[in-house]
Amino acid sequence: MTATMEFVRASRWYGPVIALNDVTTTVGPGVTGLLGPNGAGKSTFLKLAAGQLAPSQGEVRVLGKRAWGSPELFHRVGVCPEPDAFWEGLTGLQFLMALLRLTGFDDAECRRRADHALEQVALTEARDRKIGGYSKGMRQRIKMAQSLAHDPQVLLLDEPLSGMDPVNRRRVVDLVKKLGREGRTVLVSSHILHEVEAMTRRVLLIHNGRILAEGDVREIRDLMDEHPHTVALRARDPRALARAVVGSPHVLSLTFGAEGEWVTVQTARPDEFYSSVVDAAVEAGVSEMYSPDENLESVFKYLVAR
Amino acid sequence: MPIYEQTYRRYEARAPLRTVRFWPITREALRLILARRAFLGLLLVAWGQFLFRVIQVYVVTRLPEAGRVLPIDGRMFGQFLAIQTLFTLLLSIFGGAGLIANDLRTGAILVYLSRPLTRRDYVLGQLGVLLALNLSVTLVPGLLLYLIALALAPDQFAKWSLAWIGPAVVLHSLVTSLVMSLIALAVSSLSRSARVAGLGFFGLVFGLEILRGVLRALYDRPESALLSVQADLQSLGNALFGITDRAFQLPWAYPALVLTAVSLACLAILRARVRAVEIVR
Amino acid sequence: MTRSRLVVLGSTVVVAAGAMAALGALYLDPARAAVGPLPPQALSLPAGTRYVMGLDVKRFVASPLYTKYAAARTANRPQAFAELEEKTGLNPERDLDQVYIAGTQAGVPGRGGDALVVVTGRFDRAKVARAIETERKGVTSKNVSGTVVYLFDENSAGKGTGATAFLDDNTLVMGTQASVEQTVVARAKGEAPLRDNAALLALLEGVKPGSTFWMVGDKTLLSNMPKAIPGPGGPGTSQSIELPALKSLTVTGDLEPQVTLDITGEAADEPAAKNLADVVRGFVALASLQANQKPELKQLASAISVTTEASRVHVAARVPYEVIDSLQPKRASSAAPPNAP
Amino acid sequence: MSASPAASRVTPDSSPASAPSTDGRDVTRPVTFWRAARAVFDLSLEGMVWSRRSLLMVALLGGPALLSLAFRILLTRLPPRVGAFDFYGVVVAFYYVRNALPLAALFYATALIADEVEGRTITYLLTRPIQRVSVLAGKFAAYLVTTLALALPAVVITFFLLNTIRGWSGIGAIVPELFRDMGVMVLTLVVYGAFFTLMGVLLRRPVIPGLLFLFVWELLANAPGYLPRFTITAYLRSLIHHRPPDEGLAEIFAQVLPTALCLEAVGAMIVVFLAGAAWIFSQREYVLDQ
């Protein structure tokens, strides 16, 4: 996978505070989630990639060029900054047109691209209203629109879903996934795990300025065998199900849910457990089965807690 | 200082509510302002004249004939406070320009007004900040100077005929500080940027002063002095301390009237501008 | 077109209109053909002219200075003007516009100095001509390039002590016969010999427009000014202060609403200018030192300011009429200065 | 909570499937300086001219026009102590060049970048394919157009109101003064604008230092010797011909510097200040406090 972005031993500190500590990684095409709690170094990572900060040490390259001091990169890079800050007096259309002119397009091309971007984020009706009067979700979407209006090859999105209602959230997640499928490199930073989970499986986990883990969530999860997996099952007769599975050598512990329908099992070998429980599941009328800690939340909590 | 720049401490609303509710706003803002080194430097400079006056009193008590060059009587206090007015201008810009402007910009005003505080408490809290700053360079040094003068030259000052100096210093300091604070606060509420508010306040006070200078050069009529806030304050000071000055001959009632009108206008602006939500058309 | 651009466009229109109006005034202004305050007719003056003075009669008559002092002093003023008007049909206060005096050598005409006076205004030529011929004895006339020139006390050699002539209906010129005839000839041929005198023209351009009285001149204007002035010790003492030679002098003045005087002297170089400025400042200081006897002197002194610009010394005086009143010898001033604009 | 691991299909190891078409733009170089500066100019002019803060500047810069209207109307009832042309000199030299224009420059120029940083909209400008120097150039041009649009009409109106009291004759001779004054006002706005742009980029809080410079340091212009040459106002003042005679303190030591020296000094200051501001701005990192 050719790397669109490369961090080579990149560090960045603000006085005594180390924001990014000797990070070496690459980000290629497709959607990559940049995850970590507040103050983990996500924003610094993004700002280094967006050429807003120079690395105190090491090197950051985007599309083969040094990120800091290469403004021409922004022909092919789109940035959606985190602050909810706008020129409040401009309308949505004027805002996009002004920024597209700054990208070197002539007026006709600016208008075409602005309309297209507004369509992508479903803000066409509100284009002639002042941004000062937009709702929180609309402001977030117009900010998204300005980052992709010039058809960039690389997109850096800092907390794109913050403050959005479920309907808009769904719309932006689908848009990001579409951009990823088109082969663009999309780096989405967020501290809300299920947001990122909805867009991609490939993540970069950052904590205290270091990269804890990178790659597909499931691959990371499987690397941590010694940590027991949890499997939740909902059955018509949970007691019968319990009696059937408790004998299996893979079951470490078993607990009943409050409403009496749910049984939660701890197991060291999830795959073997799944195959051994199939017959018992049919007799006990299991209607639902999933692994709650296969998702990012638990992976993350587990890695951060270490 | 906007809320997001402060370190977060839980606000324990103790019951029952105290009558003076605005004090935490003033205390927090003052704590933040006093933490800035540049401000302490400005304060130090503002107290420079106080030292000069103390030396002046000391020299005149030791060498009475120096009194003819630098007389130490009631008028000295008037001149002292007139110069300190310039420092209230700088302090109001430095400390006060962003008081309301930053809260309007960052939306921190919502946080204040979602506490058990009325808008009046909020304005009083912010006004308290400016009053404290301005009084610290007018009333405090003024009274201190009077006490030192009493101590160093009791024969000169410890007389009933000069007993009016103390109250005059208090009155003039209060008027100067209140007027400057109200104007600075009103201008601060008219903008969302501390810099614009600071320069707007300076432009207003100094612009009127230039206009007065031009009108005086043009028509040489005493009424032109009413136009400038600084000139009004100086007229009051001259009347209070018995200073005769050709530029300010009007009876003190006129400047007092103008200053009252200006203060009421500022309160009206504050009432209109300090609100939680700004309607964007 | 957003509102911001409308504001910018509006401003541009106002500035452009202002500039057009200004340029229009600059090129269409009748006085434009002239040089500084001099009318076009005065350009017929001889090229050798070394100094020119001018008085705007209209403004002078309307000024507080004239109405208060000149009028009050000459008790028989009205009667003298009535006589003149009756003979020549000319009332100076009403008919005269400008009076210019030009010449090659300062001083009284005939005794080393010569002067040519040009008067513009509205004349009844016939009545004035008859008055010239009948009132004075020994007045003869001769025709020079189609213009009648009147000679006074023409001697046998055909030389008169003075001459006068009408350059046109509104311009009367008086002076020595040679200069009057030279001017009449130049006027008839439509020449402007004065334009050849570049130095004088440069000085004329520097005259502040609309001044009530003005004067420009080069060295000759100052030729018989004292070369040195007594030292501070008083005239008796031997010590004296050498006055640096001035290359040129420009004086402009106004009489309303206060007596305004602007004198600019061009010294040989910058040090000379500074030296002269200090001398003048010395005088001003001297005057204010004697202020305790006369407080008006202090006000007068404070009204004078001296500045230097490269080799030029600029002395500016702004004397309100109250100061002039207080300088007057104590007697009831008859009329308060009217509030004329 | 059901977690549906919607694995996103990571494209295989190849260059980005459809590298977005570059539609004729040269993506290897930033947008040309002039085009970028023009775009920044258009964007900045919007918020600068038509804004609440401009109301204060309209009052400050438009004031003399009203004053001269009053001067003309009240002429008979309130006789002035100064002649009309002298008053015009006071307005240009004392009001505008010494006080109002530097204050307008301080008001706008320190905010050119600080406004964007304080409003946290700087990121939009710094994530465009344009050089930072063109951002500064565009904003400086917007500042100049805004202040000139407010100041020049006022001085033209003041000139005509004051100098046509005795009718239009004789005004032709002083017209060159008007054009010279307008030129000096433009120079004033450019040189002070450049200086305060540098201060705005250099200092986090430029207002108090700016005021101290204008109303304390610049008093050196009235000092004797070489001191005036360390100020800006001394050069500008010397460029105005019809300076009012009595300038208070200046009266004693008033020095008029030669025109050539003034133009060279002002030109050099403009270049140095703007170059300094551009260099600092392009090196600075803007860590917007979250």
Side-chain angles (χ1 to χ4, degrees), chain D residues 158-214:
Chain D
T158 304
F159 174 82
F160 281 108
L161 278 178
L162 289 180
N163 292 307
T164 57
I165 288 179
R166 294 195 195 125
W168 282 70
S169 74
I171 189 172
I174 54 173
V175 156
E177 294 303 332
L178 170 64
F179 289 112
R180 188 186 182 90
D181 295 341
M182 287 208 283
V184 174
M185 284 172 73
V186 171
L187 267 183
T188 305
L189 283 171
V190 176
V191 69
Y192 276 109
F195 179 70
F196 289 124
T197 300
L198 176 61
M199 266 183 122
V201 170
L202 210 58
L203 310 172
R204 249 173 72 79
R205 295 176 195 282
V207 169
I208 297 271
L211 290 176
L212 292 178
F213 169 77
L214 278 186

Side-chain angles (χ1 to χ4, degrees), chain A residues 47 52 74 79 81 83 85-87 95 99 102 146, chain D residues 40 43 111-128 130 132 135-136 139 201 281-282 284-289:
Chain A
K47 285 197 169 88
Q52 299 303 292
F74 295 109
V79 178
F86 297 88
W87 293 296
F95 175 64
L99 293 180
L102 282 171
Q146 65 85 23
Chain D
V40 172
L43 176 59
L112 293 187
I113 304 300
D115 251 7
E116 303 292 350
V117 173
E118 204 172 86
R120 294 195 286 173
T121 46
I122 191 85
T123 314
Y124 296 123
L125 297 177
L126 301 186
T127 55
R128 295 295 131 186
I130 53 177
R132 292 202 182 183
V135 173
L136 202 67
K139 285 200 160 285
V201 170
F281 178 50
S282 35
R284 172 159 284 197
E285 291 164 332
Y286 286 96
V287 183
L288 302 184
D289 28 18

Side-chain angles (χ1 to χ4, degrees), chain D:
Chain D
M1 184 185 80
S2 68
S4 53
S8 142
R9 187 175 49 72
V10 175
T11 51
D13 191 356
S14 68
S15 69
S18 59
S21 66
T22 52
D23 51 62
R25 282 177 302 147
D26 174 2
V27 295
T28 58
R29 274 209 311 275
V31 177
T32 60
F33 173 80
W34 293 108
R35 188 186 188 109
R38 171 61 199 270
V40 172
F41 170 79
D42 290 340
L43 176 59
S44 313
L45 194 65
E46 257 340 286
M48 213 179 265
V49 176
W50 193 267
S51 65
R52 198 184 307 146
R53 68 178 68 174
S54 287
L55 286 182
L56 181 76
M57 278 301 122
V58 166
L60 184 70
L61 298 177
L66 295 180
L67 209 57
S68 10
L69 192 65
F71 175 95
R72 191 177 171 120
I73 294 167
L74 305 173
L75 199 54
T76 48
R77 252 177 300 109
L78 209 56
R81 288 177 51 226
V82 176
F85 188 66
D86 272 347
F87 178 40
Y88 170 73
V90 166
V91 165
V92 171
F94 174 71
Y95 186 83
Y96 276 119
V97 173
R98 175 66 188 90
N99 287 301
L101 295 183
L103 209 53
L106 175 62
F107 189 73
Y108 282 110
T110 47
L112 293 187
I113 304 300
D115 251 7
E116 303 292 350
V117 173
E118 204 172 86
R120 294 195 286 173
T121 46
I122 191 85
T123 314
Y124 296 123
L125 297 177
L126 301 186
T127 55
R128 295 295 131 186
I130 53 177
Q131 285 149 333
R132 292 202 182 183
V133 66
S134 42
V135 173
L136 202 67
K139 285 200 160 285
F140 190 76
Y143 145 74
L144 261 186
V145 165
T146 303
T147 42
L148 288 176
L150 298 178
L152 288 187
V155 78
V156 166
I157 292 167
T158 304
F159 174 82
F160 281 108
L161 278 178
L162 289 180
N163 292 307
T164 57
I165 288 179
R166 294 195 195 125
W168 282 70
S169 74
I171 189 172
I174 54 173
V175 156
E177 294 303 332
L178 170 64
F179 289 112
R180 188 186 182 90
D181 295 341
M182 287 208 283
V184 174
M185 284 172 73
V186 171
L187 267 183
T188 305
L189 283 171
V190 176
V191 69
Y192 276 109
F195 179 70
F196 289 124
T197 300
L198 176 61
M199 266 183 122
V201 170
L202 210 58
L203 310 172
R204 249 173 72 79
R205 295 176 195 282
V207 169
I208 297 271
L211 290 176
L212 292 178
F213 169 77
L214 278 186
F215 299 107
V216 176
W217 176 268
E218 291 260 88
L219 291 180
L220 283 181
N222 302 328
Y226 267 87
L227 288 177
R229 294 173 190 232
F230 294 103
T231 68
I232 298 178
T233 193
Y235 297 105
L236 295 169
R237 186 176 60 186
S238 310
L239 290 172
I240 300 174
H241 263 199
H242 55 91
R243 288 177 306 288
D246 43 353
E247 287 170 26
L249 193 65
E251 184 190 328
I252 305 162
F253 303 107
Q255 245 187 73
V256 180
L257 307 171
T259 306
L261 168 71
C262 296
L263 292 176
E264 281 155 24
V266 169
M269 278 193 267
I270 290 171
V271 169
V272 166
F273 293 147
L274 281 183
W279 187 77
I280 290 171
F281 178 50
S282 35
Q283 303 302 317
R284 172 159 284 197
E285 291 164 332
Y286 286 96
V287 183
L288 302 184
D289 28 18
Q290 283 315 91

Side-chain angles (χ1 to χ4, degrees), chain A residues 5 20 26 76 85 104 114 124 135-136 208 224 229 247 257 289-290:
Chain A
M5 272 182 263
L20 215 59
T26 60
R76 296 177 287 164
T124 307
S135 70
K136 173 75 177 153
N208 288 341
M224 297 178 296
H229 290 241
M289 177 175 72
Y290 68 96

